[in-house]
Amino acid sequence: MRGRYRKAGENLLALALLAFLALLVSYPVLLYDKAPIATDSVLFAPPWEEARPAGLEGPSNPALHAMAEAYYPWYAFLSDSAARQDWPLWNPYEGCGVPFLAIWRSRCLSPFSLPFYFLPVTAALKLSSILKLVIAGWAAFYAARRLGFRVPLALMVGAAFELSGVVFMRSSWPISDTVVWLPFLFLFSERLVLGHARYWPLGAAALGLMFLGGDPEATGGAVLLVFVFTFSRVLLARKQPEVRMPSLVALAAGLGFGVSLAAVQILPFIELWRESVRTGPGPQPNILHVADLMNALFPFFLGRGPGLMIRDGVQMSVLLPRLLYVGLAPILAVPLWLAVRGFADKAQRARIDAIAATAGVMTCLAFVWPRLLGGVPVVGRLQPQHFLVGNAFLFALLAAGAALEWVELDPEECHSAILRLTIAIPAVLLAALILLVTLRHNGNDHVPSSTAQAALMAGLAAAFVILLATTAFRPSPRLIGYLLCGIMVVDLFLAFHPAVIYTPTELLFPETDFIASLKATGTRAGGTATLRQWPLSGNLIPQLHAPSGVGLTRHEAFVKRLEKEPLLLRRAGCGALLLTKQDIQTTFAPVRPLLRIRRVFPSGAVLFDDLEAKPRAWLKLEGDAPGQDEPSVSMVTQERNNEVVVHVESPQNAGLVLADAWYPGWVATVGGERVPVEPEEDFFRRVRVPAGAHDVVFTYKPLSVRLGLYVSCGAAVIVLYGLISILTRRFKRRR
């Protein structure tokens, strides 16, 4: 019993250390009131520029703009909806309304979005980022422990995955919500290879959580990793045929139920896919070159921050090549494993060899996949970063396996391994030195000198070699595990922490005078085409355009018509127009006499009241003669995300037009009776109402969400029952 309690205490201490590590590396969040998200780009747009601190440099990396244009506004809407006790199925702030849950990258159902349902957006951002680090470390630690590694080495694996580039450096992207569950999916595949088919609920739960993370491409990369590892593991283990069929059935069950768990997210997304179109520029080209392999050894070559590099005359982000770095210790563990591999037992040798093979295959796919299949629908959406999601975890497991075999060598085996290492490690270091000497400066002022990089890498390599020498004379899994963990923490922190962007909370979409004037209008913001780049929804201001990049097909067709017929803005619920001087002199010159100036801003933008604009809801009498005035005897009396109530007083039968986007799932009731919602000519919603006074209630009840919810709940019950069965069996076996 004492041994059991001591073992449990050591496990709990390791989990506490991983949580403390997450708090330690998040010191800018805890001590300086900063949020790990980059929204500086909005401070250079007129609505927010008056709050820009003096001396702030302009945003240099377009890859970071998604945080300001989409991720933060979505988080702000999610937090605001929770504060109003409203369901975030529909977002009325962008593009005359878009289905919010269906966007997928909005991460409504991600476990790491839970803080936004209970806390203000700034506090939720901080807590969410810390939770990702903690869960990533705990998941990797648990997987390593279940694979048979002792606590110190499992702690090293957990710390390596917690501070990996895909988790730590990209904590604000949906990919980080997804990959933290990868260790469980990997453990599931290992159990299947061993013939433990009953572990299929573990794979289903992990896959379901990954799908809810908001990055389906990263989930696809993780599933591909599992297939590669399973194939390599079975091939190297040479399992008997009788264990293959149950394993394959369990694999299919895990994948099938994992998809079913996320049906409430997947089905609405499929519906949106048919009804939407991408707005704005597409994603940056993400292609790795052979020269990027240098980043596997020198993470500072492209600078310490998330800057840009010039390649073939095109600016590209350095965030992608930096993901190739997994730490110097895991890289040096490769020759160590080659030196001790022959002394490992067959089971351990097959497992580590399969891990190394999987890491190699996935890295190769990251280089060749976009070139070979980049233009193929669906599979072409996989980018290099999606193949690198598991490299940090895989290399950490390889390092743990090599370290464990090293301390278990007898004197004769140790002597033989040292002879091999005296050749292997100098060869690796020499190759690294040759790469460093042949590199040319890329013009980034933040890039350290070659001497500084060589000194830093040499120091880390020396610490690794000294650790090996020490444990050769005094073999200790505890010593090599904890010291190796310390080396990796220092290494990865120096490599990735400078690339994490933190923004002071007071600069997260500040409430400027410009913003206050737009809110005071009480209408949807419309006008200049520049609004396409202004994410006003981050301040909860409804706008005609959708800067996040997700727009409905009918809406985009309407926006294109506005370029030729700007007066159509009068039908879009935009009672106030924000125009530039160029707009006034060109496109809107014919209607300038009908516009009343509300406010002139220092940036040159002018806010006008359109005296003849239609309200958000208006009536169109049936059988109107050409030129007949349309009565405006309707008004919005109540509004929620998923419900709009319009009071109508019509002298005769009429059509009620609501200047919100039509989309499948909206239903309407007039006097308690359901009536069909039809798309208006301009893509708005329209219902027929009888003469008299009525309240027309528009409600968003998407069939895809309801059907997905039923499927997900049913799958959750089955998976939960399977997980309880596994835990019960393990508890009985221990007793």
Side-chain angles (χ1 to χ4, degrees), residues 585-646:
Q585 296 171 357
T586 56
T587 307
F588 289 86
V591 296
R592 173 62 185 88
L594 302 177
L595 303 179
R596 182 179 62 188
I597 296 178
R598 176 187 285 258
R599 185 72 182 272
V600 179
F601 299 101
S603 62
V606 183
L607 186 61
F608 290 94
D609 287 325
D610 189 348
L611 302 180
E612 295 189 4
K614 289 184 178 297
R616 183 176 168 192
W618 74 88
L619 288 176
K620 179 182 292 185
L621 297 180
E622 294 184 354
D624 285 349
Q628 181 178 351
D629 293 335
E630 299 175 358
S632 55
V633 288
S634 59
M635 60 181 297
V636 177
T637 60
Q638 180 181 341
E639 180 179 8
R640 297 171 62 86
N641 291 340
N642 315 306
E643 184 179 88
V644 179
V645 180
V646 182

Side-chain angles (χ1 to χ4, degrees), residues 348-535:
Q348 180 73 338
R349 185 189 312 166
R351 177 185 294 121
I352 302 301
D353 284 349
I355 289 173
T358 303
V361 169
M362 297 302 291
T363 302
C364 291
L365 288 176
F367 281 85
V368 303
W369 188 284
R371 291 180 171 85
L372 298 179
L373 301 174
V376 179
V378 182
V379 296
R381 295 181 61 88
L382 292 179
Q383 298 294 317
Q385 63 267 25
H386 303 133
F387 298 98
L388 301 176
V389 293
N391 269 15
F393 177 65
L394 294 175
F395 274 97
L397 288 177
L398 188 151
L404 181 61
E405 294 301 327
W406 171 257
V407 297
E408 291 183 349
L409 296 177
D410 59 36
E412 183 177 349
E413 294 172 340
C414 185
H415 181 267
S416 177
I418 290 175
L419 292 178
R420 299 176 186 177
L421 283 175
T422 54
I423 300 175
I425 289 185
V428 173
L429 296 179
L430 179 61
L433 183 60
I434 293 174
L435 275 176
L436 184 60
V437 171
T438 56
L439 295 182
R440 297 185 181 275
H441 198 277
N442 66 346
N444 190 339
D445 295 334
H446 299 287
V447 177
S449 66
S450 299
T451 304
Q453 290 197 56
L456 179 59
M457 295 295 103
L460 293 172
F464 182 79
V465 173
I466 292 173
L467 177 59
L468 292 184
T470 302
T471 51
F473 292 100
R474 185 184 176 184
S476 171
R478 187 182 301 272
L479 178 64
I480 196 172
Y482 287 131
L483 291 184
L484 191 59
C485 179
I487 293 173
M488 294 186 67
V489 166
V490 173
D491 183 7
L492 295 176
F493 180 79
L494 291 176
F496 294 126
H497 182 266
V500 181
I501 301 297
Y502 295 95
T503 302
T505 55
E506 67 269 13
L507 297 181
L508 293 173
F509 284 78
E511 293 285 337
T512 62
D513 186 49
F514 197 129
I515 294 296
S517 298
L518 289 177
K519 285 188 174 181
T521 64
T523 65
R524 185 176 290 139
T528 177
T530 310
L531 287 170
R532 277 183 174 271
Q533 287 78 43
W534 292 356

Side-chain angles (χ1 to χ4, degrees), residues 47-294:
W48 303 275
E49 64 182 0
E50 63 186 83
R52 185 176 70 230
L56 182 66
E57 297 182 0
S60 60
N61 193 340
L64 302 177
H65 289 183
M67 297 186 190
E69 296 171 356
Y71 299 153
Y72 181 86
W74 289 341
Y75 278 145
F77 170 69
L78 198 62
S79 181
D80 177 71
S81 298
R84 294 184 288 107
Q85 298 182 350
D86 205 353
W87 292 104
L89 297 178
W90 183 266
N91 183 1
Y93 294 105
E94 287 191 12
C96 298
V98 292
F100 188 69
L101 171 67
I103 293 176
W104 203 335
R105 296 190 193 278
S106 57
R107 293 173 275 183
C108 293
L109 302 178
S110 171
F112 302 105
S113 295
L114 286 177
F116 296 93
Y117 289 92
F118 304 101
L119 300 172
V121 61
T122 53
L125 274 170
K126 299 177 182 180
L127 180 58
S128 179
S129 66
I130 295 175
L131 283 177
K132 291 178 189 179
L133 298 178
V134 173
I135 298 301
W138 285 0
F141 174 82
Y142 174 79
R145 289 290 288 145
R146 298 303 301 166
L147 291 174
F149 292 107
R150 301 183 186 182
V151 171
L153 292 174
L155 177 64
M156 181 270 294
V157 175
F161 189 59
E162 182 175 319
L163 296 186
S164 63
V166 75
V167 176
F168 182 38
M169 187 178 66
R170 296 208 167 193
S171 61
S172 299
W173 275 269
I175 193 172
S176 59
D177 287 54
T178 301
V179 300
V180 296
W181 310 107
L182 176 63
F184 293 118
L185 192 64
F186 177 86
L187 183 60
F188 158 66
S189 63
E190 168 68 13
R191 290 301 177 186
L192 294 186
V193 173
L194 296 178
H196 302 163
R198 65 179 181 276
Y199 278 84
W200 67 265
L202 176 64
L207 187 60
L209 290 170
M210 294 181 76
F211 270 120
L212 296 178
D215 196 331
E217 294 87 356
T219 306
V223 172
L224 183 59
L225 182 149
V226 167
F227 277 109
V228 172
F229 175 76
T230 303
F231 177 79
S232 303
R233 190 77 171 87
V234 172
L235 185 65
L236 294 172
R238 297 181 176 87
K239 299 296 293 182
Q240 298 300 319
E242 58 265 24
V243 302
R244 290 183 179 176
M245 185 53 66
S247 297
L248 292 176
V249 172
L251 178 62
L255 296 178
F257 277 95
V259 173
S260 299
L261 284 174
V264 67
Q265 177 69 83
I266 296 174
L267 293 183
F269 173 75
I270 294 174
E271 182 180 61
L272 176 64
W273 187 286
R274 299 196 307 264
E275 299 286 342
S276 66
V277 63
R278 171 172 286 279
T279 62
Q284 280 190 301
N286 285 327
I287 297 179
L288 290 173
H289 292 68
V290 176
D292 290 324
L293 285 173
M294 66 184 68

